[in-house]
Amino acid sequence: MNFTTRSIHLHQYELLKSWQRKGNVALLIVYFKIHNKYYLLPFETLQEVWEGQENGDRKSIAWEIFENECKQVVSKDGYLLHYLDAIEG
């Protein structure tokens, strides 16, 4: 199970990139239905894959990257997705 970059449009990528350049936190929350898990995908990880695909590299992010390098987002304190804990932690 991989996350394909085809799920992201160029204008969405460019918006995230502009936020990152301005010093803001830029990320995506990615849901894997088959695993019933949410993960924070930092822009830096997305950017690495995005720029690589322009040079003929992979056009997806492997599930193992999410499991090993991204922070899982869970429910907490009545919030469906308590993503601030994942950003801060």
Side-chain angles (χ1 to χ4, degrees), residues 32-60:
F32 287 92
K33 185 176 182 177
I34 194 167
H35 300 289
N36 192 31
K37 291 183 177 181
Y38 293 87
Y39 288 92
L40 286 185
L41 175 61
F43 177 74
E44 295 84 2
T45 304
L46 173 62
Q47 184 176 31
E48 183 178 317
V49 173
W50 192 278
E51 291 176 359
Q53 77 181 3
E54 293 175 346
N55 297 320
D57 292 343
R58 292 181 65 130
K59 296 179 182 177
S60 63

Side-chain angles (χ1 to χ4, degrees), residues 9-89:
H9 297 279
L10 179 59
H11 73 275
Q12 293 170 315
Y13 174 80
E14 291 296 334
L15 180 61
L16 288 169
K17 189 175 183 178
S18 73
W19 288 344
Q20 180 77 10
R21 272 187 282 188
K22 294 174 186 169
N24 297 304
V25 175
L27 56 87
L28 294 175
I29 297 176
V30 179
Y31 175 64
F32 287 92
K33 185 176 182 177
I34 194 167
H35 300 289
N36 192 31
K37 291 183 177 181
Y38 293 87
Y39 288 92
L40 286 185
L41 175 61
F43 177 74
E44 295 84 2
T45 304
L46 173 62
Q47 184 176 31
E48 183 178 317
V49 173
W50 192 278
E51 291 176 359
Q53 77 181 3
E54 293 175 346
N55 297 320
D57 292 343
R58 292 181 65 130
K59 296 179 182 177
S60 63
I61 302 170
W63 162 253
E64 292 77 22
I65 298 290
F66 287 92
E67 275 285 281
N68 298 321
E69 299 178 24
C70 296
K71 295 180 183 174
Q72 187 176 354
V73 182
V74 296
S75 298
K76 182 181 170 187
D77 298 331
Y79 294 99
L80 178 60
L81 291 176
H82 206 297
Y83 66 92
L84 293 178
D85 268 0
I87 291 172
E88 294 170 355

